[in-house]
């Protein structure tokens, strides 16, 4: 979604930057600009993935407002806050909430009894709701992630067609919030693999793959943690976001009205 949002804003003339908490990272100083060759254990897996994927600055800082000021001082005129709906210490001009289309709001209960950080009524105060996959909640657009290629984890310049591993003993791994979604995506394009799910932000090491003699397919977020020890047959699934209907014009209209 960030790739789509950054591109939409850049095409409208904005100079966006992304600020993230840097969950899972152990940086010794903040704010910290994330570079493509950084250690994921220092900056976190998602910020590093964003830095490699987006054509805009990415900064980590548990104090998001400090990170936002850093971006403004370095030429950005629009700050996108990753996972920031509940970070009320940071002012905001526009709020976008992404919900899981299939799981919706789950039990509807707040943590720790349920999955929600805030009650369902919070959706009434956000500007846009994007459904990740078709669902029943009200939304302003449905996002689909369309698989486009297999990308080599060690050398991202190497890409192969989705069916290039047919007939091999493939293991699919995912250390994300909903591994089942990733496995279902692989199956939807005819990739048959043994599934191994891990907790979100799982710190992969080479030991996790000693019993995987054949090709391994993972998510792009997991790939940033596996690049250092990846074999030649480690691949991640590259996807392209599509939104229907396209909320871009309305998002830009809201941004312009609140400048």
């Amino acid at each position: 979604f960030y790739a789509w949002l950054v591109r939409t804003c850049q095409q409208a003339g904005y100079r966006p930057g992304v600020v993230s908490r840097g969950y899972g990272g152990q940086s010794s100083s903040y704010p910290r600009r994330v570079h493509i060759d950084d250690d994921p254990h220092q900056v976190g897996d998602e910020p590093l993935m964003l830095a490699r994927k987006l054509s805009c600055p990415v900064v980590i800082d548990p104090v998001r407002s400090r990170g936002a000021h850093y971006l403004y001082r370095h030429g950005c005129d629009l700050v996108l806050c990753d996972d920031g709906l509940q970070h009320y210490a940071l002012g905001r001009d526009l709020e976008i909430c992404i919900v899981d289309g299939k799981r919706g709001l789950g039990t509807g209960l707040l943590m720790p009894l349920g999955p929600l950080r805030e009650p369902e009524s919070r959706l009434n105060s956000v500007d846009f709701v994007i459904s990740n996959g078709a669902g029943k909640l009200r939304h302003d657009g449905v996002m689909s992630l369309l698989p486009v290629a297999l990308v080599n984890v060690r050398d991202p310049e190497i890409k192969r067609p989705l069916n290039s591993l047919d007939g091999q003993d493939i293991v699919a791994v995912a250390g994300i919030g909903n591994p089942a979604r990733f496995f279902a995506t692989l199956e939807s394009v005819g990739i048959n693999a043994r599934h191994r799910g891990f907790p979100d932000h799982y710190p992969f090491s080479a030991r996790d793959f000693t019993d995987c003699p054949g090709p391994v397919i993972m998510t792009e977020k997991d790939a940033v943690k596996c690049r250092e020890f990846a074999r030649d047959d480690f691949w991640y699934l590259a996807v392209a976001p599509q939104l229907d209907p396209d909320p871009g014009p309305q998002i830009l209209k809201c941004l312009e009205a609140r400048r």
Side-chain angles (χ1 to χ4, degrees):
F1 179 74
Y2 271 101
W4 173 87
L5 186 57
V6 166
R7 184 172 61 251
T8 296
C9 294
Q10 287 175 330
Q11 290 173 348
Y14 288 98
R15 301 186 303 276
V18 174
V19 60
S20 171
R21 173 189 172 191
Y23 182 85
Q26 300 175 352
S27 178
S28 59
S29 62
Y30 298 100
R32 176 168 175 170
R33 175 80 175 265
V34 182
H35 299 282
I36 60 174
D37 57 350
D38 274 337
D39 183 346
H41 299 100
Q42 290 292 317
V43 300
D45 51 11
E46 289 184 2
L48 182 55
M49 180 189 71
L50 292 174
R52 291 177 176 174
K53 192 178 186 70
L54 305 180
S55 55
C56 74
V58 177
V59 167
I60 58 170
D61 197 328
V63 182
R64 313 285 180 92
S65 57
R66 186 172 57 191
H69 283 298
Y70 175 96
L71 289 169
Y72 280 126
R73 291 196 306 271
H74 289 78
C76 297
D77 60 5
L78 176 65
V79 173
L80 308 178
C81 185
D82 177 38
D83 195 18
L85 277 183
Q86 287 79 45
H87 193 78
Y88 288 107
L90 178 66
R92 70 281 314 272
D93 298 295
L94 190 74
E95 293 185 321
I96 301 174
C97 180
I98 300 179
V99 297
D100 189 309
K102 183 175 182 180
R103 296 190 294 185
L105 302 182
T107 62
L109 299 175
L110 297 177
M111 298 173 67
L113 298 178
L116 303 186
R117 300 177 185 175
E118 294 186 283
E120 181 178 356
S121 59
R122 177 71 168 89
L123 293 178
N124 298 327
S125 63
V126 303
D127 297 281
F128 294 90
V129 177
I130 304 299
S131 180
N132 187 4
K136 296 181 179 179
L137 288 174
R138 74 99 175 165
H139 57 76
D140 301 287
V142 174
M143 179 175 65
S144 302
L145 298 177
L146 303 182
V148 294
L150 296 176
V151 181
N152 192 264
V153 174
R154 293 183 63 180
D155 184 359
E157 295 299 318
I158 301 175
K159 300 177 176 62
R160 297 179 61 170
L162 297 173
N163 63 355
S164 60
L165 303 179
D166 284 359
Q168 300 187 51
D169 182 18
I170 305 169
V171 173
V173 301
I176 57 177
N178 184 9
R181 179 188 292 276
F182 174 66
F183 300 144
T185 299
L186 293 178
E187 292 175 351
S188 72
V189 294
I191 297 177
N192 298 312
R194 293 182 284 130
H195 301 164
R196 296 180 61 186
F198 294 83
D200 197 13
H201 302 287
Y202 180 77
F204 286 101
S205 70
R207 294 189 300 272
D208 295 307
F209 302 94
T210 55
D211 58 346
C212 302
V216 175
I217 301 178
M218 61 188 65
T219 71
E220 187 172 3
K221 187 175 85 168
D222 294 323
V224 303
K225 293 174 290 189
C226 299
R227 189 172 183 176
E228 181 180 339
F229 56 81
R231 304 193 308 254
D232 290 338
D233 58 354
F234 278 33
W235 307 87
Y236 73 80
L237 183 70
V239 297
Q242 288 194 352
L243 285 97
D244 184 30
D246 181 2
Q250 288 302 312
I251 290 176
L252 294 174
K253 182 178 179 180
C254 285
L255 285 175
E256 185 62 26
R258 298 172 187 181
R259 294 185 73 164

